Amino acid sequence: MKKILSLLLFFILAACSDQGAVEKLKMNYPNVKKEMEQLPKDAQQKMAAPEKLPFQPKDVQLTYAAEPAGDPEGDILHTEFTYGNEKGSVLRVTTFQNENANFNDEGEKKTTKLKDGTEVVIEAESSDVKSIRWSKDDVFYGMMLMGSEFKMEDLLKSANSMDY
């Protein structure tokens, strides 16, 4: 009997550990689950979140932009997870849902690459704000890290840990 219970516990723990980053957010933050369940399934499937964060979040929020505004049944333009802590650090992870997402690439942009070779455009790199964007499987993502204690490498670690 003990062996069966141990084996059952092992499978439950293994199943929980295999959940993706977005599913973990739904499990750990009821407000995220509530917002996400209002969105169309195709929008939910495009959403991605990092496994590794540059800080321990106290709270995570999910917001979205839609046309018409505020209508989760309308055309979802983008979704955004916002991670925050009590020290003023913020990480924003945006999934641009609309296939017509257009970025202004006029002028020279600094770029780097993720571990998988994906090219990343560095949009901002100041003492307080680091921001990047990239495309993966025809979906555009953006990530912004706010806080003076962080470096671009911290943001790239999170981007490299994205669970698509």
Side-chain angles (χ1 to χ4, degrees), residues 73-87:
E73 310 250 335
D75 184 22
I76 305 300
L77 305 175
H78 72 265
T79 56
E80 183 171 84
F81 291 112
T82 303
Y83 303 78
N85 69 9
E86 65 279 352
K87 298 174 186 169

Side-chain angles (χ1 to χ4, degrees), residues 32-82:
V32 168
K33 180 179 180 179
K34 181 182 172 188
E35 287 295 319
M36 191 177 295
E37 288 176 345
Q38 295 180 43
L39 298 172
K41 292 289 181 203
D42 63 321
Q44 292 180 43
Q45 291 171 348
K46 290 179 184 177
M47 294 169 67
E51 292 281 351
K52 296 178 184 173
L53 303 172
F55 57 86
Q56 182 63 41
K58 181 176 169 78
D59 190 36
V60 179
Q61 298 290 320
L62 170 62
T63 56
Y64 64 90
E67 187 61 46
D71 182 0
E73 310 250 335
D75 184 22
I76 305 300
L77 305 175
H78 72 265
T79 56
E80 183 171 84
F81 291 112
T82 303

Side-chain angles (χ1 to χ4, degrees), residues 1-8:
M1 184 67 167
K2 285 185 179 180
K3 286 184 179 181
I4 293 173
L5 288 175
S6 297
L7 191 58
L8 183 61

